[in-house]
Amino acid sequence: MNTLRDFNSFTSSLPEQGSLMPVLFMGHGSPMNGIETNEFTQNWRQLAQTIPTPSAVLVISAHWLSKGTRVTAMDFPKTIHDFGGFPPELFAVQYPAPGSPQLAQETARIIQSIHVEEDHDWGLDHGAWSVVKQMYPAANIPVLQLSIDYTQPPQYHYELARELTALRRKGVLIMGSGNMVHNLRMVAWEMMEGGGYDWALEMNERFKDCIQRGDHASLIHYELLGSDARLAIPTPEHYLPLLYTLGLQQPGEAVNLFNDKAIGGSLTMTSVKIG
């Protein structure tokens, strides 16, 4: 597949497969993970080698919030450097993966509960490219993003995700990208190599327990989990991608956790593979 026409033809007529593509929630952490080799990025690369090669990747990133739900629909999404204070080499990164207007149309079509608008302006933010670049460095797999409607409650996002199941049958890798515990205001820079506050570690354990037991209701209504949950999720944008991943879990599907580590005191990189 060397031309844009090849990509568009490929993704517009994706056949259904006999099994479901896995679903991921990736703790993406610092934008520097897009160019560094460390324990987290090495696990991302290894993961890409152990799952089927996707027909496309659809990312729900913590860094694309919108009023209403949108899906990128351009031929070649731009690389967005949505951060500050990092070295020049990070701003120089380009991830030239193609998009797929046809798959964007299909995504919008299969979501019946709301109108999904096709977007031609956004691109790939660091919540998407910092992870996908490490997994698929050749940039030869179409990558799209689905935005997070910031006006809607957690239940909305969980239920919306369930409508995307058909894409799993077509080999699309759906990836939520955020962090389960994410409180930048309380980061301890001296702990960036590893370590978490007691409340962060406790909440991470509670989140993992709910995930492994399939207790999605508690995760949707996380505000009922107490004051530590409010510290772990002071704002919901990095947490909501997890609900998209969980919403796609089918009965009996295996759950595996990886990159299960706290950094900076108030962040966790804990990630989830379903299927």
Side-chain angles (χ1 to χ4, degrees), residues 26 50 68 83-84 113 122 189 238 255 260:
M26 306 294 261
T50 62
F83 41 72
S113 61
W122 186 249
W189 297 106
H238 276 75
V255 176
D260 185 18

Side-chain angles (χ1 to χ4, degrees), residues 24-261:
L24 304 175
F25 171 74
M26 306 294 261
H28 66 241
S30 167
M32 290 298 292
N33 288 324
I35 59 174
E36 291 182 344
T37 296
N38 55 45
E39 60 187 298
F40 307 122
T41 63
Q42 287 175 331
N43 286 337
W44 295 345
R45 294 171 193 162
Q46 291 172 6
L47 176 63
Q49 300 300 313
T50 62
I51 64 175
T53 300
S55 56
V57 181
L58 177 65
V59 184
I60 299 94
S61 165
H63 296 281
W64 190 19
L65 305 179
S66 62
K67 187 173 183 179
T69 299
R70 307 169 70 91
V71 62
T72 54
M74 65 285 289
D75 291 323
F76 288 100
K78 63 186 175 184
T79 303
I80 302 173
H81 302 92
D82 52 331
F83 41 72
F86 290 93
E89 54 265 35
L90 189 62
F91 289 90
V93 170
Q94 295 294 316
Y95 186 66
S100 174
Q102 286 75 15
L103 183 57
Q105 292 172 7
E106 174 73 1
T107 301
R109 184 189 66 79
I110 66 172
I111 296 176
Q112 297 288 309
S113 61
I114 59 166
H115 170 70
V116 176
E117 184 174 349
E118 295 176 27
D119 182 274
H120 298 274
D121 297 320
W122 186 249
L124 302 178
D125 60 54
H126 81 268
W129 65 256
S130 67
V131 178
V132 181
K133 176 180 178 293
Q134 294 280 13
M135 295 180 69
Y136 305 109
N140 59 353
I141 296 172
V143 183
L144 291 76
Q145 283 195 226
L146 187 73
S147 72
I148 296 174
D149 185 346
Y150 66 85
T151 70
Q152 298 295 336
Q155 184 77 44
Y156 167 93
H157 300 285
Y158 179 83
E159 293 177 355
L160 179 63
R162 297 170 74 87
E163 299 185 61
L164 297 171
T165 300
L167 296 182
R168 294 185 64 192
R169 299 191 184 100
K170 296 189 173 190
V172 176
L173 176 62
I174 303 175
M175 178 191 304
S177 178
N179 292 96
M180 287 189 205
V181 176
H182 186 270
N183 190 327
L184 289 183
R185 292 185 178 182
M186 298 185 69
V187 164
W189 297 106
E190 69 276 11
M191 299 172 70
M192 288 306 293
E193 294 301 315
Y197 299 124
D198 288 345
W199 59 262
L201 297 174
E202 180 178 341
M203 283 313 306
N204 201 56
E205 290 300 316
R206 292 187 70 180
F207 292 152
K208 290 190 300 178
D209 178 63
C210 289
I211 291 168
Q212 292 173 316
R213 290 189 293 105
D215 181 8
H216 294 180
S218 292
L219 294 164
I220 292 169
H221 302 289
Y222 65 85
E223 73 280 0
L224 301 179
L225 295 178
S227 59
D228 285 351
R230 290 190 288 275
L231 286 173
I233 311 170
T235 56
E237 75 286 337
H238 276 75
Y239 180 82
L240 291 175
L242 172 65
L243 298 186
Y244 280 85
T245 300
L246 297 178
L248 282 157
Q249 185 177 10
Q250 303 300 300
E253 278 197 296
V255 176
N256 292 286
L257 303 175
F258 60 99
N259 281 351
D260 185 18
K261 184 176 180 179

